Amino acid sequence: MEFLKKLGIKDHNFGASTGTKWFKTKDQGELEIYSPADGKYIASVYQSSPEDYEKIIQMGLESFIHWRKIPAPKRGEIVRQIGLKLREYKQPLGTLVSYEMGKSLQEGLGEVQEMIDICDFALGQSRQLYGFTMQSERPSHRMYDQYHPLGIVGIVSAFNFPVAVWAWNSMLAAVCGDVELWKPSSKVPLSAIAVQNIIGEVIKENNLPEGIFSLIIGKGSTIGEMMLHDKRVPLVSLTGSTKVGKHAAEIVAGRFGKSIMELGGNNGIIISPEADLKMAVPAIVFGAVGTCGQRCTSTRRLIIHESIFNKVKDSLVNAYKGLKIGNPLDEKNHVGPLIDKKAVSLFTAALEKVRKEGGKVLFGGEVLHGAGYESGTYVVPAICVAENHYEIVQEETFAPILYLIKYSGNIENAIQIHNSVVQGLSSAIFTNNMREAEQFLSAWGSDCGIANVNIGTSGAEIGGAFGGEKETGGGRESGSDAWKSYMRRQTNTINYGTDLPLAQGIKFNI
């Protein structure tokens, strides 16, 4: 395929790189990558060894000594050039993301655009790594705080966003003066290799040392565990399931490291009687079926007032009937495949559990076979009537299942239902009632890290900090002041007088 050639993807690819240099390990197993779009073989990747990991860490430590001394705006210039390269490769890289992961071509291109946007954001941020000046109680003293880079930042990304989450972390970390080690999902390693090839061009053109942007593809049980336990990696940013995140956070905290955890979501939208349904329905459908329900911000629960429940239900069923399901590279299709057959099994098992718990599948739920669906990974997105307390509704099933939940009374009842899950990532309300909207955004409203009014749960912009509360992990990436996570804070006091007064008026005469 032409887009693979443009990105430097070969039939067999190595899985460890420090920038332009690739390690030639072949004895750790080979990942064969098949597209969920058509089931066809794409290419293979040789997994990395513990020895590769050690070499990359040593090179990262050496490059950090150099990189942290470069002024932040100059580091921002490198990030600017990366953004330009991504613009140049947007079409082939977006196509690869779509083909390897299964999301629609528009979403694949949109993911690369996110990378470009965060490069632009990080470029500006490189001149704004602000600290504060405080007033000292001691005469002729100046107090301020400042931020310094941490060192090696480990980035563990998930299959559903093969490249964007890496960029959220690495571009900010880079302008902060850190060096990065990326361990991508073994389900989508080719997209990561393509990005590393693009980054390599910038490294070569600027004669930068190896080890600033490194990649390692390998087993979680070996390479992943080494990163989690390694005190030379002061920060680990991990995107994944709550189970994996809890395991990782305990290990990193046990060695007094820092972590950013972006874990599960069970995102709900409240539909008030005063909602504009012409706006709400398209937002719900995109949130529920976009990326075939495999976004951490996918809409999973719809909390609808009883007075409009049937109207909303009928509108959604009609909208779902019009969905086109098929190859994600065909831009006429709305819904692509699930990532693999294991995900299909989880989808069908969840629907069976809904039925057993007393719910009803109103629409969808079938696994598609036949022409165009040879991969066995295509499903019809499902709409179910359920109750919030169902065990399956309390879980996050990474698939296109939308639970319709009825509420009665006022908005407080809807918020109580909404908050009654262990996850706390993204949330939304559709209402034209200002009081309802403001209450949803108040301290006694949504308990999520993201709360929206009259837009859906997915499609966050890079300018805002991304992340959630409760079992979603509490970390923040991307915009706002998320850059501070990649730095260590230091308070400084300078005495420019000739006396040595002590704080709190303490006297100590010798």
Side-chain angles (χ1 to χ4, degrees), residues 46-62:
Y46 295 112
Q47 297 192 98
S48 307
S49 67
E51 291 75 22
D52 293 334
Y53 175 85
E54 185 60 32
K55 290 176 185 176
I56 289 173
I57 289 293
Q58 290 298 331
M59 208 164 288
L61 293 172
E62 292 172 13

Side-chain angles (χ1 to χ4, degrees), residues 27 36 224 263 394:
D27 62 357
L263 311 176
Q394 290 287 311

Side-chain angles (χ1 to χ4, degrees), residues 302-494:
L302 201 61
I303 302 157
I304 312 164
H305 194 270
E306 60 182 358
S307 65
I308 57 169
F309 185 87
N310 289 333
K311 184 177 181 180
V312 173
K313 177 189 69 176
D314 293 343
S315 296
L316 288 171
V317 169
N318 286 334
Y320 270 52
K321 287 178 180 177
L323 292 174
K324 293 180 177 143
I325 305 166
N327 193 307
L329 295 182
D330 184 344
E331 295 192 63
K332 295 177 182 177
N333 292 325
H334 302 105
V335 184
L338 287 167
I339 186 66
D340 53 29
K341 290 182 180 179
K342 181 180 178 181
V344 174
S345 296
L346 292 173
F347 171 75
T348 56
L351 294 176
E352 184 58 32
K353 196 165 185 179
V354 170
R355 295 184 181 98
K356 287 183 178 179
E357 291 194 71
K360 182 179 180 182
V361 179
L362 293 176
F363 181 86
E366 300 85 9
V367 179
L368 298 174
H369 301 284
Y373 306 121
E374 291 87 354
S375 63
T377 53
Y378 288 89
V379 300
V380 180
I383 302 174
C384 305
V385 175
E387 295 183 20
N388 200 64
H389 64 83
Y390 288 177
E391 187 176 295
I392 191 62
V393 176
Q394 290 287 311
E395 299 173 5
E396 179 194 38
T397 303
F398 228 50
I401 302 174
L402 180 63
Y403 301 115
L404 308 188
I405 301 163
K406 190 182 296 185
Y407 83 92
S408 58
N410 57 27
I411 200 67
E412 286 88 350
N413 295 333
I415 293 172
Q416 190 277 328
I417 293 171
H418 175 274
N419 291 351
S420 294
V421 292
V422 296
Q423 307 88 354
L425 180 52
S426 187
S427 61
I429 186 172
F430 276 85
T431 181
N432 288 330
N433 184 314
M434 181 191 74
R435 291 176 176 173
E436 289 183 336
E438 289 294 334
Q439 188 167 344
F440 183 73
L441 301 178
S442 72
W444 55 95
S446 167
D447 62 0
C448 294
I450 300 168
N452 299 326
V453 175
N454 292 333
I455 61 171
T457 59
S458 61
E461 297 181 40
I462 58 93
F466 181 90
E469 300 300 323
K470 302 191 290 186
E471 290 191 6
T472 298
R476 293 297 185 274
E477 297 170 334
S478 193
S480 186
D481 65 348
W483 63 270
K484 293 181 179 179
S485 298
Y486 307 94
M487 307 196 81
R488 57 182 176 88
R489 185 170 183 163
Q490 186 180 78
T491 300
N492 307 111
T493 306
I494 300 171

Side-chain angles (χ1 to χ4, degrees), residues 250-289:
E250 288 176 350
I251 293 173
V252 176
R255 60 175 174 82
F256 294 99
K258 297 175 66 176
S259 63
I260 300 171
M261 295 290 150
E262 298 292 354
L263 311 176
N266 197 349
N267 314 296
I269 299 179
I270 295 172
I271 307 296
S272 158
E274 298 188 52
D276 182 341
L277 296 184
K278 289 183 180 179
M279 290 177 61
V281 170
I284 295 163
V285 176
F286 175 74
V289 308

